[in-house]
Amino acid sequence: QSALTQPRSVSGSPGQSVTISCTGTSSDVGGYDHVCWYQQHPGKAPKLMIYDVTERPSGVPERFSGSKSGNTASLTISGLQAEDEADYYCCSHAGSYILLFGGGTKLTVL
Amino acid sequence: EVQLVESGGGLVQPGGSLRLSCAASGFTFSSNWMLWVRQAPGKGLVWVSRINPDGSVTNYADSVKGRFTISRDNAKNTLYLQMNSLRAEDTAVYYCAKDLTWNQLDYWGLGTLVTVSS
């Protein structure tokens, strides 16, 4: 199965909102409510930011929110801050035991 | 505090073998699915393998099936990845991670670098 499709880069100014999309198929993103998002700073391990499409793990700011429509999931970051600059990866359960990741999106805070 | 600490990476020649370990603490290791995920230099995340809590069920990505073996020792709170017939394209940082639910991973180790090169 192919990786999920994400934009290579997005950018925004401090205080603004940005949205990162993650497009799959009806066999993964569209078929299950088990879509997640990771944040990864350079040289660091990924950090879970959103799971089950909309849920935030303890400690993740409310500025981070997730949604899904059809085969496309989205991560929205409101009130952008400098420390949000990182790579973001979406993930999706894809049936049986399959786990798919997106190709990653580099967020630049201008 | 949950901690996952990988070890065992290094430089290996094509066709060689390595065994990665992941020492877990701070949670009930024997109750959780565990996964290995890798990331080639400058590239994205790729799922490698996963194992159920008692070690009786294992799954692999097609790219490593037949070459890699995942296992665990719940008495030692340790996850393993035996990697044989290594190829240049296996070069990556290998992370072990704890499954929260449905392959969504809430804790990750810092990773261990595997370099396959002659």
Side-chain angles (χ1 to χ4, degrees):
Chain A
Q1 284 170 300
S2 301
L4 308 173
T5 301
Q6 297 180 233
R8 291 184 67 91
S9 64
V10 298
S11 62
S13 299
Q16 288 186 332
S17 295
V18 294
T19 297
I20 300 171
S21 63
C22 171
T23 301
T25 70
S26 59
S27 297
D28 39 70
V29 174
Y32 303 93
D33 285 335
H34 303 303
V35 175
C36 72
W37 291 90
Y38 299 100
Q39 176 192 67
Q40 186 179 35
H41 287 107
K44 303 294 187 182
K47 175 185 177 183
L48 183 66
M49 305 301 284
I50 296 288
Y51 69 98
D52 284 349
V53 180
T54 61
E55 301 298 309
R56 272 188 314 275
S58 175
V60 173
E62 293 183 8
R63 306 185 292 104
F64 291 84
S65 62
S67 63
K68 189 181 83 167
S69 178
N71 296 336
T72 298
S74 298
L75 172 71
T76 297
I77 308 171
S78 305
L80 206 56
Q81 299 181 5
E83 59 261 36
D84 298 333
E85 183 163 297
D87 293 327
Y88 291 84
Y89 294 91
C90 63
C91 87
S92 176
H93 181 69
S96 187
Y97 57 84
I98 302 295
L99 163 61
L100 294 179
F101 289 100
T105 298
K106 180 176 180 58
L107 169 62
T108 300
V109 180
L110 302 171
Chain B
E1 178 193 7
V2 172
Q3 283 198 325
L4 297 169
V5 180
E6 302 94 337
S7 60
L11 175 63
V12 61
Q13 293 188 340
S17 298
L18 275 180
R19 187 198 200 199
L20 306 184
S21 299
C22 171
S25 61
F27 66 103
T28 306
F29 179 73
S30 59
S31 297
N32 291 94
W33 285 81
M34 296 294 295
L35 287 78
W36 288 99
V37 175
R38 69 185 180 184
Q39 186 171 34
K43 302 297 184 181
L45 303 170
V46 176
W47 169 70
V48 173
S49 182
R50 68 176 205 160
I51 188 167
N52 75 330
D54 68 8
S56 62
V57 176
T58 58
N59 303 116
Y60 301 91
D62 287 346
S63 58
V64 307
K65 201 171 294 183
R67 301 187 298 123
F68 290 12
T69 302
I70 191 173
S71 63
R72 64 193 298 161
D73 185 334
N74 286 342
K76 295 182 178 180
N77 287 348
T78 302
L79 176 72
Y80 302 101
L81 186 67
Q82 177 67 43
M83 305 187 295
N84 299 330
S85 303
L86 283 162
R87 307 166 180 167
E89 54 265 36
D90 295 319
T91 294
V93 173
Y94 285 73
Y95 295 101
C96 72
K98 170 185 168 292
D99 180 67
L100 171 62
T101 178
W102 291 95
N103 290 331
Q104 298 163 112
L105 311 175
D106 57 349
Y107 289 97
W108 297 61
L110 296 180
T112 186
L113 176 62
V114 173
T115 303
V116 184
S117 175
S118 55

PDB file of all heavy atoms in Angstrom, chain A residues 14-51:
ATOM      1  N   PRO A  14       3.367  33.794  13.195  1.00  0.00           N
ATOM      2  CA  PRO A  14       2.913  33.617  14.585  1.00  0.00           C
ATOM      3  C   PRO A  14       1.516  34.174  14.799  1.00  0.00           C
ATOM      4  O   PRO A  14       1.192  35.265  14.316  1.00  0.00           O
ATOM      5  CB  PRO A  14       3.959  34.392  15.384  1.00  0.00           C
ATOM      6  CG  PRO A  14       5.184  34.332  14.539  1.00  0.00           C
ATOM      7  CD  PRO A  14       4.695  34.414  13.119  1.00  0.00           C
ATOM      8  N   GLY A  15       0.694  33.400  15.484  1.00  0.00           N
ATOM      9  CA  GLY A  15      -0.672  33.813  15.765  1.00  0.00           C
ATOM     10  C   GLY A  15      -1.680  33.358  14.738  1.00  0.00           C
ATOM     11  O   GLY A  15      -2.887  33.313  15.017  1.00  0.00           O
ATOM     12  N   GLN A  16      -1.197  33.020  13.542  1.00  0.00           N
ATOM     13  CA  GLN A  16      -2.109  32.561  12.489  1.00  0.00           C
ATOM     14  C   GLN A  16      -2.464  31.090  12.692  1.00  0.00           C
ATOM     15  O   GLN A  16      -1.921  30.406  13.571  1.00  0.00           O
ATOM     16  CB  GLN A  16      -1.459  32.747  11.111  1.00  0.00           C
ATOM     17  CG  GLN A  16      -1.348  34.178  10.651  1.00  0.00           C
ATOM     18  CD  GLN A  16      -0.825  34.266   9.216  1.00  0.00           C
ATOM     19  OE1 GLN A  16      -0.096  33.413   8.727  1.00  0.00           O
ATOM     20  NE2 GLN A  16      -1.211  35.344   8.524  1.00  0.00           N
ATOM     21  N   SER A  17      -3.377  30.613  11.834  1.00  0.00           N
ATOM     22  CA  SER A  17      -3.738  29.202  11.810  1.00  0.00           C
ATOM     23  C   SER A  17      -3.227  28.577  10.522  1.00  0.00           C
ATOM     24  O   SER A  17      -3.219  29.224   9.473  1.00  0.00           O
ATOM     25  CB  SER A  17      -5.250  29.010  11.892  1.00  0.00           C
ATOM     26  OG  SER A  17      -5.757  29.452  13.128  1.00  0.00           O
ATOM     27  N   VAL A  18      -2.803  27.326  10.620  1.00  0.00           N
ATOM     28  CA  VAL A  18      -2.404  26.572   9.430  1.00  0.00           C
ATOM     29  C   VAL A  18      -3.092  25.217   9.476  1.00  0.00           C
ATOM     30  O   VAL A  18      -3.374  24.694  10.567  1.00  0.00           O
ATOM     31  CB  VAL A  18      -0.877  26.385   9.330  1.00  0.00           C
ATOM     32  CG1 VAL A  18      -0.176  27.709   9.128  1.00  0.00           C
ATOM     33  CG2 VAL A  18      -0.340  25.641  10.524  1.00  0.00           C
ATOM     34  N   THR A  19      -3.343  24.675   8.295  1.00  0.00           N
ATOM     35  CA  THR A  19      -3.954  23.350   8.193  1.00  0.00           C
ATOM     36  C   THR A  19      -3.113  22.479   7.272  1.00  0.00           C
ATOM     37  O   THR A  19      -2.706  22.906   6.195  1.00  0.00           O
ATOM     38  CB  THR A  19      -5.387  23.439   7.646  1.00  0.00           C
ATOM     39  OG1 THR A  19      -6.194  24.179   8.573  1.00  0.00           O
ATOM     40  CG2 THR A  19      -5.984  22.045   7.462  1.00  0.00           C
ATOM     41  N   ILE A  20      -2.843  21.257   7.744  1.00  0.00           N
ATOM     42  CA  ILE A  20      -2.083  20.288   6.967  1.00  0.00           C
ATOM     43  C   ILE A  20      -3.032  19.158   6.585  1.00  0.00           C
ATOM     44  O   ILE A  20      -3.714  18.595   7.451  1.00  0.00           O
ATOM     45  CB  ILE A  20      -0.899  19.739   7.785  1.00  0.00           C
ATOM     46  CG1 ILE A  20       0.033  20.882   8.190  1.00  0.00           C
ATOM     47  CG2 ILE A  20      -0.144  18.695   6.982  1.00  0.00           C
ATOM     48  CD1 ILE A  20       1.114  20.460   9.179  1.00  0.00           C
ATOM     49  N   SER A  21      -3.061  18.822   5.318  1.00  0.00           N
ATOM     50  CA  SER A  21      -3.958  17.771   4.848  1.00  0.00           C
ATOM     51  C   SER A  21      -3.228  16.444   4.705  1.00  0.00           C
ATOM     52  O   SER A  21      -2.000  16.403   4.587  1.00  0.00           O
ATOM     53  CB  SER A  21      -4.577  18.159   3.511  1.00  0.00           C
ATOM     54  OG  SER A  21      -3.569  18.299   2.526  1.00  0.00           O
ATOM     55  N   CYS A  22      -4.004  15.384   4.715  1.00  0.00           N
ATOM     56  CA  CYS A  22      -3.480  14.018   4.610  1.00  0.00           C
ATOM     57  C   CYS A  22      -4.509  13.207   3.824  1.00  0.00           C
ATOM     58  O   CYS A  22      -5.591  12.906   4.341  1.00  0.00           O
ATOM     59  CB  CYS A  22      -3.277  13.447   5.993  1.00  0.00           C
ATOM     60  SG  CYS A  22      -2.885  11.679   6.072  1.00  0.00           S
ATOM     61  N   THR A  23      -4.174  12.872   2.600  1.00  0.00           N
ATOM     62  CA  THR A  23      -5.133  12.209   1.727  1.00  0.00           C
ATOM     63  C   THR A  23      -4.783  10.744   1.528  1.00  0.00           C
ATOM     64  O   THR A  23      -3.641  10.408   1.198  1.00  0.00           O
ATOM     65  CB  THR A  23      -5.190  12.916   0.366  1.00  0.00           C
ATOM     66  OG1 THR A  23      -5.561  14.283   0.567  1.00  0.00           O
ATOM     67  CG2 THR A  23      -6.206  12.248  -0.542  1.00  0.00           C
ATOM     68  N   GLY A  24      -5.774   9.912   1.728  1.00  0.00           N
ATOM     69  CA  GLY A  24      -5.604   8.477   1.528  1.00  0.00           C
ATOM     70  C   GLY A  24      -6.702   7.941   0.637  1.00  0.00           C
ATOM     71  O   GLY A  24      -7.086   8.591  -0.339  1.00  0.00           O
ATOM     72  N   THR A  25      -7.176   6.770   0.993  1.00  0.00           N
ATOM     73  CA  THR A  25      -8.234   6.110   0.212  1.00  0.00           C
ATOM     74  C   THR A  25      -9.316   5.601   1.159  1.00  0.00           C
ATOM     75  O   THR A  25      -9.208   5.722   2.378  1.00  0.00           O
ATOM     76  CB  THR A  25      -7.658   4.930  -0.579  1.00  0.00           C
ATOM     77  OG1 THR A  25      -7.302   3.891   0.349  1.00  0.00           O
ATOM     78  CG2 THR A  25      -6.433   5.333  -1.393  1.00  0.00           C
ATOM     79  N   SER A  26     -10.323   4.975   0.579  1.00  0.00           N
ATOM     80  CA  SER A  26     -11.386   4.395   1.393  1.00  0.00           C
ATOM     81  C   SER A  26     -10.914   3.171   2.162  1.00  0.00           C
ATOM     82  O   SER A  26     -11.608   2.686   3.050  1.00  0.00           O
ATOM     83  CB  SER A  26     -12.568   4.013   0.503  1.00  0.00           C
ATOM     84  OG  SER A  26     -12.166   3.087  -0.493  1.00  0.00           O
ATOM     85  N   SER A  27      -9.704   2.679   1.830  1.00  0.00           N
ATOM     86  CA  SER A  27      -9.143   1.523   2.526  1.00  0.00           C
ATOM     87  C   SER A  27      -8.316   1.907   3.746  1.00  0.00           C
ATOM     88  O   SER A  27      -7.893   1.041   4.504  1.00  0.00           O
ATOM     89  CB  SER A  27      -8.259   0.702   1.573  1.00  0.00           C
ATOM     90  OG  SER A  27      -9.017   0.176   0.514  1.00  0.00           O
ATOM     91  N   ASP A  28      -8.074   3.182   3.910  1.00  0.00           N
ATOM     92  CA  ASP A  28      -7.310   3.620   5.064  1.00  0.00           C
ATOM     93  C   ASP A  28      -7.980   4.819   5.727  1.00  0.00           C
ATOM     94  O   ASP A  28      -8.864   4.639   6.547  1.00  0.00           O
ATOM     95  CB  ASP A  28      -5.843   3.903   4.709  1.00  0.00           C
ATOM     96  CG  ASP A  28      -5.668   4.575   3.354  1.00  0.00           C
ATOM     97  OD1 ASP A  28      -6.046   5.750   3.236  1.00  0.00           O
ATOM     98  OD2 ASP A  28      -5.161   3.931   2.418  1.00  0.00           O
ATOM     99  N   VAL A  29      -7.604   6.029   5.364  1.00  0.00           N
ATOM    100  CA  VAL A  29      -8.153   7.223   6.026  1.00  0.00           C
ATOM    101  C   VAL A  29      -9.684   7.231   5.994  1.00  0.00           C
ATOM    102  O   VAL A  29     -10.350   7.500   7.007  1.00  0.00           O
ATOM    103  CB  VAL A  29      -7.602   8.506   5.391  1.00  0.00           C
ATOM    104  CG1 VAL A  29      -8.294   9.740   5.973  1.00  0.00           C
ATOM    105  CG2 VAL A  29      -6.094   8.606   5.598  1.00  0.00           C
ATOM    106  N   GLY A  30     -10.239   6.949   4.833  1.00  0.00           N
ATOM    107  CA  GLY A  30     -11.690   7.007   4.687  1.00  0.00           C
ATOM    108  C   GLY A  30     -12.436   5.868   5.330  1.00  0.00           C
ATOM    109  O   GLY A  30     -13.650   5.957   5.563  1.00  0.00           O
ATOM    110  N   GLY A  31     -11.729   4.786   5.633  1.00  0.00           N
ATOM    111  CA  GLY A  31     -12.396   3.592   6.131  1.00  0.00           C
ATOM    112  C   GLY A  31     -12.344   3.391   7.630  1.00  0.00           C
ATOM    113  O   GLY A  31     -13.050   2.532   8.171  1.00  0.00           O
ATOM    114  N   TYR A  32     -11.502   4.160   8.298  1.00  0.00           N
ATOM    115  CA  TYR A  32     -11.322   3.966   9.742  1.00  0.00           C
ATOM    116  C   TYR A  32     -11.188   5.312  10.454  1.00  0.00           C
ATOM    117  O   TYR A  32     -10.618   6.256   9.911  1.00  0.00           O
ATOM    118  CB  TYR A  32     -10.053   3.144  10.016  1.00  0.00           C
ATOM    119  CG  TYR A  32     -10.029   1.804   9.348  1.00  0.00           C
ATOM    120  CD1 TYR A  32      -9.438   1.644   8.095  1.00  0.00           C
ATOM    121  CD2 TYR A  32     -10.606   0.689   9.960  1.00  0.00           C
ATOM    122  CE1 TYR A  32      -9.420   0.414   7.469  1.00  0.00           C
ATOM    123  CE2 TYR A  32     -10.583  -0.552   9.339  1.00  0.00           C
ATOM    124  CZ  TYR A  32      -9.991  -0.678   8.095  1.00  0.00           C
ATOM    125  OH  TYR A  32      -9.983  -1.893   7.479  1.00  0.00           O
ATOM    126  N   ASP A  33     -11.665   5.366  11.677  1.00  0.00           N
ATOM    127  CA  ASP A  33     -11.474   6.562  12.495  1.00  0.00           C
ATOM    128  C   ASP A  33     -10.244   6.406  13.389  1.00  0.00           C
ATOM    129  O   ASP A  33     -10.265   6.751  14.573  1.00  0.00           O
ATOM    130  CB  ASP A  33     -12.727   6.832  13.334  1.00  0.00           C
ATOM    131  CG  ASP A  33     -13.865   7.400  12.502  1.00  0.00           C
ATOM    132  OD1 ASP A  33     -13.583   8.023  11.453  1.00  0.00           O
ATOM    133  OD2 ASP A  33     -15.033   7.223  12.900  1.00  0.00           O
ATOM    134  N   HIS A  34      -9.198   5.850  12.809  1.00  0.00           N
ATOM    135  CA  HIS A  34      -7.935   5.665  13.534  1.00  0.00           C
ATOM    136  C   HIS A  34      -6.838   6.386  12.766  1.00  0.00           C
ATOM    137  O   HIS A  34      -5.890   5.774  12.263  1.00  0.00           O
ATOM    138  CB  HIS A  34      -7.620   4.191  13.710  1.00  0.00           C
ATOM    139  CG  HIS A  34      -8.688   3.428  14.412  1.00  0.00           C
ATOM    140  ND1 HIS A  34      -9.139   3.768  15.671  1.00  0.00           N
ATOM    141  CD2 HIS A  34      -9.424   2.366  14.017  1.00  0.00           C
ATOM    142  CE1 HIS A  34     -10.093   2.946  16.028  1.00  0.00           C
ATOM    143  NE2 HIS A  34     -10.301   2.083  15.048  1.00  0.00           N
ATOM    144  N   VAL A  35      -7.008   7.699  12.681  1.00  0.00           N
ATOM    145  CA  VAL A  35      -6.044   8.562  12.017  1.00  0.00           C
ATOM    146  C   VAL A  35      -5.326   9.367  13.086  1.00  0.00           C
ATOM    147  O   VAL A  35      -5.963   9.866  14.030  1.00  0.00           O
ATOM    148  CB  VAL A  35      -6.729   9.519  11.027  1.00  0.00           C
ATOM    149  CG1 VAL A  35      -5.723  10.489  10.426  1.00  0.00           C
ATOM    150  CG2 VAL A  35      -7.443   8.727   9.933  1.00  0.00           C
ATOM    151  N   CYS A  36      -4.017   9.491  12.957  1.00  0.00           N
ATOM    152  CA  CYS A  36      -3.264  10.227  13.967  1.00  0.00           C
ATOM    153  C   CYS A  36      -2.272  11.177  13.311  1.00  0.00           C
ATOM    154  O   CYS A  36      -2.055  11.129  12.102  1.00  0.00           O
ATOM    155  CB  CYS A  36      -2.558   9.270  14.927  1.00  0.00           C
ATOM    156  SG  CYS A  36      -1.143   8.372  14.254  1.00  0.00           S
ATOM    157  N   TRP A  37      -1.705  12.035  14.138  1.00  0.00           N
ATOM    158  CA  TRP A  37      -0.711  13.015  13.697  1.00  0.00           C
ATOM    159  C   TRP A  37       0.457  13.037  14.684  1.00  0.00           C
ATOM    160  O   TRP A  37       0.255  13.004  15.892  1.00  0.00           O
ATOM    161  CB  TRP A  37      -1.337  14.408  13.629  1.00  0.00           C
ATOM    162  CG  TRP A  37      -2.352  14.555  12.538  1.00  0.00           C
ATOM    163  CD1 TRP A  37      -3.698  14.312  12.629  1.00  0.00           C
ATOM    164  CD2 TRP A  37      -2.105  14.977  11.195  1.00  0.00           C
ATOM    165  NE1 TRP A  37      -4.292  14.551  11.410  1.00  0.00           N
ATOM    166  CE2 TRP A  37      -3.343  14.964  10.524  1.00  0.00           C
ATOM    167  CE3 TRP A  37      -0.967  15.372  10.495  1.00  0.00           C
ATOM    168  CZ2 TRP A  37      -3.466  15.332   9.175  1.00  0.00           C
ATOM    169  CZ3 TRP A  37      -1.096  15.732   9.167  1.00  0.00           C
ATOM    170  CH2 TRP A  37      -2.337  15.715   8.520  1.00  0.00           C
ATOM    171  N   TYR A  38       1.669  13.106  14.112  1.00  0.00           N
ATOM    172  CA  TYR A  38       2.886  13.212  14.907  1.00  0.00           C
ATOM    173  C   TYR A  38       3.608  14.498  14.566  1.00  0.00           C
ATOM    174  O   TYR A  38       3.610  14.934  13.423  1.00  0.00           O
ATOM    175  CB  TYR A  38       3.828  12.034  14.637  1.00  0.00           C
ATOM    176  CG  TYR A  38       3.253  10.691  14.987  1.00  0.00           C
ATOM    177  CD1 TYR A  38       2.717   9.869  14.005  1.00  0.00           C
ATOM    178  CD2 TYR A  38       3.239  10.232  16.307  1.00  0.00           C
ATOM    179  CE1 TYR A  38       2.173   8.630  14.329  1.00  0.00           C
ATOM    180  CE2 TYR A  38       2.704   8.998  16.627  1.00  0.00           C
ATOM    181  CZ  TYR A  38       2.175   8.210  15.633  1.00  0.00           C
ATOM    182  OH  TYR A  38       1.630   6.988  15.963  1.00  0.00           O
ATOM    183  N   GLN A  39       4.245  15.045  15.578  1.00  0.00           N
ATOM    184  CA  GLN A  39       5.151  16.182  15.409  1.00  0.00           C
ATOM    185  C   GLN A  39       6.568  15.682  15.639  1.00  0.00           C
ATOM    186  O   GLN A  39       6.826  14.937  16.595  1.00  0.00           O
ATOM    187  CB  GLN A  39       4.821  17.255  16.462  1.00  0.00           C
ATOM    188  CG  GLN A  39       5.741  18.456  16.467  1.00  0.00           C
ATOM    189  CD  GLN A  39       5.518  19.309  17.722  1.00  0.00           C
ATOM    190  OE1 GLN A  39       5.802  18.880  18.837  1.00  0.00           O
ATOM    191  NE2 GLN A  39       4.985  20.518  17.534  1.00  0.00           N
ATOM    192  N   GLN A  40       7.486  16.083  14.767  1.00  0.00           N
ATOM    193  CA  GLN A  40       8.882  15.669  14.932  1.00  0.00           C
ATOM    194  C   GLN A  40       9.810  16.854  14.721  1.00  0.00           C
ATOM    195  O   GLN A  40       9.884  17.401  13.626  1.00  0.00           O
ATOM    196  CB  GLN A  40       9.248  14.535  13.965  1.00  0.00           C
ATOM    197  CG  GLN A  40      10.641  13.970  14.211  1.00  0.00           C
ATOM    198  CD  GLN A  40      10.998  12.839  13.270  1.00  0.00           C
ATOM    199  OE1 GLN A  40      10.605  12.826  12.106  1.00  0.00           O
ATOM    200  NE2 GLN A  40      11.757  11.873  13.776  1.00  0.00           N
ATOM    201  N   HIS A  41      10.521  17.210  15.767  1.00  0.00           N
ATOM    202  CA  HIS A  41      11.552  18.229  15.658  1.00  0.00           C
ATOM    203  C   HIS A  41      12.840  17.568  15.182  1.00  0.00           C
ATOM    204  O   HIS A  41      13.051  16.370  15.400  1.00  0.00           O
ATOM    205  CB  HIS A  41      11.765  18.940  16.989  1.00  0.00           C
ATOM    206  CG  HIS A  41      10.649  19.866  17.353  1.00  0.00           C
ATOM    207  ND1 HIS A  41       9.732  19.592  18.354  1.00  0.00           N
ATOM    208  CD2 HIS A  41      10.290  21.076  16.836  1.00  0.00           C
ATOM    209  CE1 HIS A  41       8.866  20.586  18.443  1.00  0.00           C
ATOM    210  NE2 HIS A  41       9.173  21.492  17.533  1.00  0.00           N
ATOM    211  N   PRO A  42      13.727  18.324  14.537  1.00  0.00           N
ATOM    212  CA  PRO A  42      14.963  17.744  13.988  1.00  0.00           C
ATOM    213  C   PRO A  42      15.765  16.983  15.038  1.00  0.00           C
ATOM    214  O   PRO A  42      16.014  17.493  16.130  1.00  0.00           O
ATOM    215  CB  PRO A  42      15.721  18.981  13.485  1.00  0.00           C
ATOM    216  CG  PRO A  42      14.665  19.974  13.189  1.00  0.00           C
ATOM    217  CD  PRO A  42      13.603  19.761  14.215  1.00  0.00           C
ATOM    218  N   GLY A  43      16.133  15.766  14.682  1.00  0.00           N
ATOM    219  CA  GLY A  43      16.934  14.941  15.568  1.00  0.00           C
ATOM    220  C   GLY A  43      16.201  14.351  16.750  1.00  0.00           C
ATOM    221  O   GLY A  43      16.824  13.719  17.608  1.00  0.00           O
ATOM    222  N   LYS A  44      14.897  14.539  16.788  1.00  0.00           N
ATOM    223  CA  LYS A  44      14.098  14.036  17.915  1.00  0.00           C
ATOM    224  C   LYS A  44      13.149  12.935  17.470  1.00  0.00           C
ATOM    225  O   LYS A  44      12.911  12.742  16.281  1.00  0.00           O
ATOM    226  CB  LYS A  44      13.282  15.186  18.535  1.00  0.00           C
ATOM    227  CG  LYS A  44      14.119  16.351  19.013  1.00  0.00           C
ATOM    228  CD  LYS A  44      15.008  15.967  20.168  1.00  0.00           C
ATOM    229  CE  LYS A  44      15.714  17.186  20.747  1.00  0.00           C
ATOM    230  NZ  LYS A  44      16.629  16.812  21.859  1.00  0.00           N
ATOM    231  N   ALA A  45      12.613  12.223  18.459  1.00  0.00           N
ATOM    232  CA  ALA A  45      11.617  11.202  18.166  1.00  0.00           C
ATOM    233  C   ALA A  45      10.265  11.855  17.880  1.00  0.00           C
ATOM    234  O   ALA A  45       9.981  12.955  18.362  1.00  0.00           O
ATOM    235  CB  ALA A  45      11.493  10.244  19.347  1.00  0.00           C
ATOM    236  N   PRO A  46       9.427  11.197  17.101  1.00  0.00           N
ATOM    237  CA  PRO A  46       8.074  11.715  16.884  1.00  0.00           C
ATOM    238  C   PRO A  46       7.278  11.795  18.176  1.00  0.00           C
ATOM    239  O   PRO A  46       7.495  11.003  19.093  1.00  0.00           O
ATOM    240  CB  PRO A  46       7.461  10.689  15.927  1.00  0.00           C
ATOM    241  CG  PRO A  46       8.635  10.045  15.256  1.00  0.00           C
ATOM    242  CD  PRO A  46       9.696   9.990  16.318  1.00  0.00           C
ATOM    243  N   LYS A  47       6.344  12.748  18.222  1.00  0.00           N
ATOM    244  CA  LYS A  47       5.468  12.922  19.368  1.00  0.00           C
ATOM    245  C   LYS A  47       4.024  12.875  18.880  1.00  0.00           C
ATOM    246  O   LYS A  47       3.658  13.572  17.923  1.00  0.00           O
ATOM    247  CB  LYS A  47       5.729  14.276  20.040  1.00  0.00           C
ATOM    248  CG  LYS A  47       4.771  14.593  21.181  1.00  0.00           C
ATOM    249  CD  LYS A  47       5.000  15.988  21.728  1.00  0.00           C
ATOM    250  CE  LYS A  47       3.994  16.335  22.823  1.00  0.00           C
ATOM    251  NZ  LYS A  47       4.159  17.719  23.326  1.00  0.00           N
ATOM    252  N   LEU A  48       3.218  12.050  19.525  1.00  0.00           N
ATOM    253  CA  LEU A  48       1.802  11.924  19.153  1.00  0.00           C
ATOM    254  C   LEU A  48       1.047  13.189  19.544  1.00  0.00           C
ATOM    255  O   LEU A  48       1.046  13.578  20.719  1.00  0.00           O
ATOM    256  CB  LEU A  48       1.189  10.704  19.845  1.00  0.00           C
ATOM    257  CG  LEU A  48      -0.265  10.393  19.501  1.00  0.00           C
ATOM    258  CD1 LEU A  48      -0.420   9.990  18.032  1.00  0.00           C
ATOM    259  CD2 LEU A  48      -0.796   9.283  20.411  1.00  0.00           C
ATOM    260  N   MET A  49       0.387  13.802  18.554  1.00  0.00           N
ATOM    261  CA  MET A  49      -0.351  15.040  18.795  1.00  0.00           C
ATOM    262  C   MET A  49      -1.867  14.852  18.740  1.00  0.00           C
ATOM    263  O   MET A  49      -2.615  15.509  19.460  1.00  0.00           O
ATOM    264  CB  MET A  49       0.057  16.103  17.772  1.00  0.00           C
ATOM    265  CG  MET A  49       1.545  16.388  17.709  1.00  0.00           C
ATOM    266  SD  MET A  49       2.225  16.941  19.271  1.00  0.00           S
ATOM    267  CE  MET A  49       1.624  18.631  19.314  1.00  0.00           C
ATOM    268  N   ILE A  50      -2.307  13.960  17.850  1.00  0.00           N
ATOM    269  CA  ILE A  50      -3.725  13.676  17.662  1.00  0.00           C
ATOM    270  C   ILE A  50      -3.873  12.185  17.382  1.00  0.00           C
ATOM    271  O   ILE A  50      -3.059  11.607  16.652  1.00  0.00           O
ATOM    272  CB  ILE A  50      -4.316  14.466  16.469  1.00  0.00           C
ATOM    273  CG1 ILE A  50      -4.270  15.973  16.708  1.00  0.00           C
ATOM    274  CG2 ILE A  50      -5.739  14.000  16.148  1.00  0.00           C
ATOM    275  CD1 ILE A  50      -5.262  16.478  17.739  1.00  0.00           C
ATOM    276  N   TYR A  51      -4.890  11.548  17.958  1.00  0.00           N
ATOM    277  CA  TYR A  51      -5.209  10.166  17.611  1.00  0.00           C
ATOM    278  C   TYR A  51      -6.719  10.019  17.449  1.00  0.00           C
ATOM    279  O   TYR A  51      -7.480  10.886  17.899  1.00  0.00           O
ATOM    280  CB  TYR A  51      -4.644   9.189  18.644  1.00  0.00           C
ATOM    281  CG  TYR A  51      -5.322   9.241  19.999  1.00  0.00           C
ATOM    282  CD1 TYR A  51      -6.314   8.326  20.341  1.00  0.00           C
ATOM    283  CD2 TYR A  51      -4.946  10.201  20.947  1.00  0.00           C
ATOM    284  CE1 TYR A  51      -6.922   8.362  21.584  1.00  0.00           C
ATOM    285  CE2 TYR A  51      -5.562  10.246  22.188  1.00  0.00           C
ATOM    286  CZ  TYR A  51      -6.543   9.334  22.503  1.00  0.00           C
ATOM    287  OH  TYR A  51      -7.153   9.372  23.730  1.00  0.00           O
TER     288      TYR A  51
END
